[in-house]
Amino acid sequence: MRITRCAGRGALRDITAYRSAEAPATGTGPAFAFDLSSNELTLPPMPSVLSAIEQDLSRLARYPDPTSRALTEEVAGHLRVCADEVAVGPGSAGVLQQVLLALCGEGDEVVYAWPGFDAYPLMVAVSGATGVQTPLTVSGEHDLAELLARVSDRTRVVILCSPHNPTGTVIERGRLDGFLRSLPQGVVAVLDEAYVEFDRGGDPPGMPEILRAHGNVVVLRTFSKAYGLAGLRVGYAAGPRRIMTTVCKTALPFGVTRLAEQAAILSLRAGTELRERLSAVTSAREELSISLRELGLPVLPSRANFVWLPLTTFAESFARTAATAGIKVRACPGHGVRVSVGEPEAHRTLLRALARTDLSHWS
């Protein structure tokens, strides 16, 4: 099995900045009527959150609390953990960068599945470590046995993503527990749960139970996806006190704005509003999956707010077809295409374009 090793800090000059070569959904480049490439929520922030944000705009001239204490305590209460077991930052990606900077350095390795979140290689390189990528299974799942086989005495972190970006698959709790128990002492598993709120298929692995059961795991979550706060950049991590203490030291000063902190606190308190929008998104996801399958396309069952089509060498052809209809999707050349759940009109436009296309060689 071929394993790709990513460059460390010394080769940052050879790594492309995150999505810098990609045509924007608006402005210069191709004209896109709909962006289904970034897994954004098409709904605005919840009404109770929007109202508070508008009232707080007059305080933009002031710095936020550099410790984000109010949000840290709110998250801790939400998770039923201690405040010193929580770190907040600019999105779960920002907190992941803090975790990697806290745990890794030159000569260390970070193991993760691929394809995956396309910022992972850059964040690993910034930490000075070397990335070790392992292929997903044919069903789009983590190959936990292979991940474990790639752990060496240089490994400091293993990144798991559940629901997985870009395939939407999850690591069931029993398999996750077995994997975490098998990790050597000193290796930390980072469980990226950016999409966990969309998982409607049973009890998703997560906090606080997993934190009590394992002392070698850090769990990441975000307000960017289910809560509709992607533009405010706020997320958090929870894990052992000894790790979180160091993670907080790597935080960018004033990295979480006052508006983001307030919006996140109110979002955690808006459980009823959240459940209503999750129901709408997951219903739209299932309708989109069914429609794509009716066209003869392969679609993996998803437990996130996107669907994955394992089109391998035809991924870029699919993306070009979508682009001609003004739809931007996320192609992973050689692997497949990720399509975010979007507006009903975006889905209809995409499906009409596909219906006019000869898809027989894609399936």
Side-chain angles (χ1 to χ4, degrees):
M1 186 173 292
R2 183 174 178 268
I3 305 296
T4 303
R5 293 182 178 268
C6 302
R9 181 180 299 164
L12 269 176
R13 68 179 69 90
D14 300 322
I15 294 180
T16 302
Y18 178 65
R19 298 179 73 162
S20 62
E22 180 179 309
T26 57
T28 59
F32 291 106
F34 300 101
D35 187 352
L36 302 183
S37 70
S38 298
N39 300 338
E40 298 157 320
L41 202 69
T42 58
L43 300 170
M46 291 174 279
S48 59
V49 177
L50 265 183
S51 176
I53 292 174
E54 292 167 354
Q55 294 174 15
D56 216 27
L57 288 175
S58 62
R59 305 179 68 185
L60 287 177
R62 300 292 186 179
Y63 281 114
D65 173 7
T67 67
S68 301
R69 175 53 51 184
L71 177 56
T72 300
E73 292 177 351
E74 187 77 23
V75 169
H78 179 70
L79 302 176
R80 304 190 301 279
V81 300
C82 297
D84 55 6
E85 295 174 305
V86 173
V88 302
S92 57
V95 185
L96 174 58
Q97 187 70 86
Q98 293 175 224
V99 172
L100 294 175
L101 288 171
L103 298 178
C104 302
E106 297 286 348
D108 295 333
E109 292 181 345
V110 177
V111 180
Y112 55 93
W114 197 258
F117 178 33
D118 44 11
Y120 287 162
L122 178 60
M123 289 190 286
V124 170
V126 168
S127 76
T130 297
V132 180
Q133 299 176 353
T134 70
L136 298 170
T137 68
V138 293
S139 56
E141 298 177 298
H142 287 74
D143 187 336
L144 295 182
E146 183 62 24
L147 283 167
L148 193 60
R150 301 310 303 174
V151 172
S152 71
D153 57 3
R154 297 174 59 190
T155 304
R156 296 295 173 264
V157 171
V158 177
I159 302 174
L160 307 171
C161 184
S162 180
H164 184 63
N165 176 14
T167 63
T169 60
V170 301
I171 307 172
E172 299 295 351
R173 179 62 187 269
R175 296 178 63 231
L176 177 63
D177 283 334
F179 179 84
L180 295 175
R181 286 194 297 268
S182 299
L183 283 178
Q185 187 175 5
V187 176
V188 174
V190 174
L191 179 59
D192 185 347
E193 290 190 333
Y195 301 93
V196 73
E197 291 87 358
F198 298 104
D199 181 10
R200 310 284 286 185
D203 181 31
M207 303 169 281
E209 292 81 8
I210 197 168
L211 296 176
R212 289 198 293 264
H214 303 281
N216 62 338
V217 62
V218 172
V219 185
L220 302 176
R221 289 188 181 173
T222 186
F223 292 93
S224 296
K225 306 303 181 183
Y227 295 97
L229 299 179
L232 286 181
R233 310 305 305 130
V234 56
Y236 59 91
R241 185 179 295 107
R242 71 183 190 281
I243 296 177
M244 290 298 101
T245 298
T246 306
V247 168
C248 289
K249 295 177 182 179
T250 65
L252 179 71
F254 307 110
V256 176
T257 67
R258 189 188 308 276
L259 287 179
E261 183 172 19
Q262 181 68 6
I265 289 171
L266 292 172
S267 293
L268 284 177
R269 298 174 181 174
T272 300
E273 293 176 83
L274 176 65
R275 286 189 290 272
E276 289 173 353
R277 62 179 44 206
L278 288 178
S279 178
V281 171
T282 53
S283 293
R285 179 191 70 202
E286 295 313 306
E287 291 172 4
L288 177 60
S289 297
I290 290 170
S291 297
L292 290 168
R293 292 191 187 106
E294 288 176 344
L295 291 173
L297 292 170
V299 183
L300 294 186
S302 174
R303 286 157 72 169
N305 69 327
F306 52 82
V307 298
W308 173 254
L309 295 84
L311 294 173
T312 60
T313 56
F314 301 109
E316 291 171 291
S317 296
F318 182 104
R320 286 193 295 270
T321 298
T324 61
I327 306 291
K328 186 178 183 181
V329 298
R330 188 71 174 153
C332 299
H335 298 285
V337 177
R338 189 190 70 197
V339 181
S340 306
V341 174
E343 303 90 336
E345 183 56 30
H347 293 181
R348 288 192 290 267
T349 302
L350 175 63
L351 293 169
R352 283 196 298 266
L354 293 171
R356 296 192 298 266
T357 304
D358 179 10
L359 307 179
S360 59
H361 58 294
W362 289 2
S363 57

